[in-house]
Amino acid sequence: MLTTEKGVVEEWLSEFKTLPETSLSEYAENLKDKSTLVSSLYKVIQEPQSDLLEPVCHQLFEFYRSGEKKLLLFTLQFLPELMWCYLTVSATWKRHSTGCIEALLLGVYNLEIVDKQGHNKVLSFTIPSLSKPSVYHEPSSIGSMALTESALCQHGLSKVVYSGPHPQREMLTAQNRFEVLTFLLLCYNAALTYMPNVSLQSLCQICSRICICGYPRQHVRKYKGINIRIPISSEFMVQMLTGVYFAFYNGEWDMAEMALEDVLYRAQLELFPEPLLVANAIKTSLPAVAMQSSKEGKRCIQVEITPTSSRISRNAVTSMSIRGHRWKRHEQDDNSNDSADPGILVIPELSVTKVAGERAGNGEKSKALGENDAQHVQGVQETAPDPRAESKGLPELRRQKSVRRMMEDGLSPPSRGPL
């Protein structure tokens, strides 16, 4: 640690001690712009043998219990690095050098499990139903959801998950270690939108280191820190994935992608079903290319909303579809009638023309008869527009033409019977 960085930390420690309570809000507002102080505090935490570690942890705890939200968030941004320092020292059995870090973690935990009146808090979370739309999904895009009897019985009922009440802890042991750390990481994830990018980077690095230390993947990542396997719980890994997922869409794509692969690698080795499910779900939902997110301004997880036009299924039976079906049926009936009329009218016209053409060489009488026949057929067509009437008059027309042929040939026409 450089002398200048040490001087920055010492000045920060002395400044807060002499600060009046009336200036606390203004001090907290200006604290987030001191990037040099933040980087110096990270280096102090990363050196467990530093003389400044104990006063730094004490002042961070004073920030957390001061009641000022911005001071609370300032302490909370160092939580991933504090966890990593505690886990590495605990794995090497040098707990005497992390007493101040353990006290800080326990103090934050004991403050978060109670409300302002000192009663134990019970956190609740309502599991969303897939049958109701949200900013993450549309029910129509999932497919048809059959209304079974059991589904109807559960309609309108919401499943609520409760966490707590959590017991007070006086010290961290191997039995309750990850219970406390998981709850602290849950509190950190609840304030992810207020965390600076340096804190998100620290979170991704910590997740990778915890999952690969002591395994062959450590040599692949070329991490030269401790090579001792750090025990981990399934619930703690799920909370790590929550922060990693947020980092994907808030300017830390590369580091978050590496952390996701390492968490998935450790979950496969440990055969933890919950981290495997969450990690694979995150990996599947990621876009093909890295998201270019601004590191300034308000940050949030980006989601795609299904267009509202696709909410109605194409196969859904509506009033408009019924009307359209009726219109199509009427149009088909009209088209069939229109196509049938010209066929009936053309047949006699073509047959008469052919007959008249064949008999054109039999003299003037035959020509006159052909003209009379054509006029007769035209009169029939004009007086009988009904197709059924024309079909009835067609045999009579043929009989008259056959009689004319027999008269021309000198034969007597057959009698139709007595009148």
Side-chain angles (χ1 to χ4, degrees):
M1 187 176 181
L2 299 178
T3 306
T4 55
E5 295 174 343
K6 186 176 181 180
V8 171
V9 174
E10 290 176 348
E11 181 183 357
W12 171 71
L13 292 172
S14 59
E15 181 183 5
F16 183 74
K17 293 179 180 178
T18 59
L19 187 70
E21 295 184 0
T22 56
S23 312
L24 194 60
S25 300
E26 183 180 357
Y27 173 79
E29 182 68 26
N30 299 329
L31 197 61
K32 63 179 182 180
D33 299 328
K34 298 181 179 180
S35 57
T36 305
L37 173 63
V38 173
S39 60
S40 301
L41 290 176
Y42 270 109
K43 291 186 178 181
V44 171
I45 297 173
Q46 293 168 0
E47 296 179 5
Q49 306 299 331
S50 176
D51 297 334
L52 294 175
L53 182 59
E54 184 174 353
V56 165
C57 291
H58 177 73
Q59 182 146 318
L60 289 176
F61 180 69
E62 292 294 330
F63 278 10
Y64 202 88
R65 70 175 185 176
S66 63
E68 185 66 31
K69 182 178 180 180
K70 293 182 179 179
L71 293 180
L72 183 147
L73 295 174
F74 183 83
T75 300
L76 209 58
Q77 68 177 323
F78 299 102
L79 198 59
E81 196 69 37
L82 291 168
M83 290 182 181
W84 167 248
C85 184
Y86 170 76
L87 289 174
T88 53
V89 175
S90 299
T92 55
W93 300 99
K94 297 179 180 179
R95 297 187 59 184
H96 61 278
S97 59
T98 60
C100 55
I101 297 179
E102 181 178 345
L104 174 59
L105 295 177
L106 282 173
V108 174
Y109 169 81
N110 290 327
L111 286 176
E112 285 293 336
I113 63 174
V114 295
D115 54 16
K116 295 181 179 180
Q117 288 75 26
H119 304 294
N120 288 335
K121 291 192 298 187
V122 178
L123 305 179
S124 61
F125 176 75
T126 303
I127 298 179
S129 175
L130 294 178
S131 61
K132 298 180 180 179
S134 68
V135 296
Y136 296 99
H137 80 288
E138 289 287 344
S140 59
S141 62
I142 301 176
S144 60
M145 302 181 69
L147 290 176
T148 60
E149 184 178 355
S150 59
L152 290 174
C153 293
Q154 298 178 358
H155 183 69
L157 300 178
S158 301
K159 185 177 181 180
V160 182
V161 179
Y162 297 96
S163 176
H166 298 276
Q168 294 274 346
R169 300 294 182 185
E170 296 181 358
M171 63 179 301
L172 292 177
T173 62
Q175 185 177 2
N176 63 18
R177 178 180 302 154
F178 280 100
E179 179 184 350
V180 174
L181 296 181
T182 301
F183 182 81
L184 290 177
L185 200 54
L186 175 65
C187 298
Y188 176 84
N189 291 334
L192 275 174
T193 54
Y194 303 101
M195 294 296 105
N197 283 87
V198 62
S199 182
L200 296 179
Q201 294 172 6
S202 175
L203 174 67
C204 295
Q205 291 176 354
I206 296 325
C207 292
S208 295
R209 293 174 185 175
I210 291 176
C211 294
I212 66 175
C213 282
Y215 292 91
R217 199 180 186 91
Q218 182 177 0
H219 303 287
V220 177
R221 298 299 188 195
K222 297 180 181 181
Y223 175 65
K224 299 181 181 180
I226 62 170
N227 56 358
I228 301 176
R229 296 184 180 182
I230 299 177
I232 196 172
S233 66
S234 175
E235 294 78 9
F236 186 75
M237 294 182 72
V238 172
Q239 294 300 326
M240 287 195 305
L241 288 171
T242 303
V244 169
Y245 183 50
F246 182 86
F248 265 108
Y249 298 93
N250 291 273
E252 304 300 335
W253 180 277
D254 296 333
M255 299 186 69
E257 187 177 15
M258 185 182 299
L260 177 63
E261 294 294 335
D262 294 337
V263 173
L264 186 60
Y265 168 78
R266 181 65 180 271
Q268 291 172 349
L269 294 177
E270 300 287 353
L271 295 178
F272 287 151
E274 292 85 0
L276 282 173
L277 177 63
V278 176
N280 284 310
I282 295 174
K283 189 175 181 180
T284 305
S285 65
L286 292 177
V289 295
M291 300 290 295
Q292 296 180 357
S293 177
S294 175
K295 295 186 178 183
E296 297 180 358
K298 188 176 181 179
R299 297 182 295 271
C300 60
I301 296 177
Q302 301 177 2
V303 295
E304 295 182 359
I305 301 178
T306 308
T308 55
S309 58
S310 61
R311 290 183 179 179
I312 301 178
S313 176
R314 294 182 178 179
N315 299 326
V317 179
T318 61
S319 59
M320 291 299 295
S321 63
I322 295 175
R323 293 176 184 175
H325 180 71
R326 291 177 180 175
W327 292 338
K328 290 180 180 180
R329 185 177 61 184
H330 291 319
E331 289 176 359
Q332 292 175 358
D333 294 341
D334 295 341
N335 293 334
S336 62
N337 294 335
D338 295 341
S339 61
D341 294 344
I344 299 175
L345 294 175
V346 169
I347 292 174
E349 184 179 355
L350 292 175
S351 62
V352 172
T353 305
K354 289 182 179 179
V355 173
E358 291 175 357
R359 308 302 298 180
N362 291 333
E364 296 178 358
K365 186 177 181 180
S366 62
K367 292 180 180 180
L369 290 174
E371 293 175 358
N372 295 333
D373 292 342
Q375 294 176 358
H376 179 72
V377 173
Q378 185 177 2
V380 172
Q381 293 177 356
E382 293 176 356
T383 57
D386 190 358
R388 291 178 292 183
E390 291 180 1
S391 61
K392 291 181 180 180
L394 187 58
E396 181 65 23
L397 179 61
R398 291 178 179 176
R399 190 186 68 80
Q400 292 178 5
K401 288 191 290 183
S402 63
V403 170
R404 291 190 184 96
R405 291 178 185 177
M406 294 177 66
M407 291 176 65
E408 291 175 359
D409 295 338
L411 299 177
S412 61
S415 178
R416 297 185 63 179
L419 296 175

